Amino acid sequence: MTEFTPVASFLGGTMIGLAAVLLMAVHGRIAGMTGILTGLLPPLAADWAWRAAFIVGAIGAPALIVALAGRSAIAFEISMPALWLVAGGLLVGFGVHFASGCTSGHGVCGLARLSPRSMAATVTFMAATAATVFFVRHVLGGL
């Protein structure tokens, strides 16, 4: 069962929003994780340094919070076989490619800018998610 964590969720969302606003204000860039990561793959983008710093922060901040909370890790449970996770990751990768961006760029930054393209992409992401959940739970029997 998923825990109800409104305070932690609010703080996390606030930090994501603040990071997106700061990246736009300082570098004039959208905080889309796919685009940021792509610039770190060979050939490196000319502005690779801020991209690396952003990724280090995205990974390091949760690790710092866990350390400050006195825990050794964040507990989570995956009830799917590894093959399903890999398949899901590949499908998400294809979706990101065809949508020219991910939910962080379109959903967080694009919706905040009232971008019609991002609105269409986000509605498509959510519809595909709902259809996938329905299919897996009700057609395939929940696997």
Side-chain angles (χ1 to χ4, degrees):
M1 187 89 188
T2 303
E3 292 181 34
F4 180 64
T5 57
V7 174
S9 300
F10 176 77
L11 291 174
T14 301
M15 291 188 335
I16 289 169
L18 181 60
V21 167
L22 287 174
L23 186 60
M24 178 61 80
V26 174
H27 291 285
R29 301 300 306 248
I30 298 293
M33 294 302 281
T34 305
I36 293 169
L37 281 170
T38 301
L40 293 175
L41 298 175
L44 289 176
D47 58 354
W48 67 269
W50 74 260
R51 295 169 186 268
F54 195 92
I55 297 300
V56 167
I59 295 169
L64 179 63
I65 291 169
V66 167
L68 291 175
R71 295 193 226 166
S72 61
I74 296 173
F76 67 96
E77 181 181 321
I78 300 172
S79 59
M80 289 284 161
L83 181 62
W84 282 97
L85 294 175
V86 171
L90 290 172
L91 286 173
V92 168
F94 283 118
V96 164
H97 172 74
F98 290 118
S100 297
C102 58
T103 52
S104 56
H106 285 303
V108 175
C109 300
L111 292 181
R113 294 180 302 113
L114 301 177
S115 164
R117 182 170 170 260
S118 291
M119 288 180 197
T122 303
V123 167
T124 302
F125 296 152
M126 295 297 107
T129 300
T132 301
V133 169
F134 178 83
F135 183 77
V136 169
R137 287 190 177 171
H138 300 291
V139 176
L140 297 180
L143 293 179

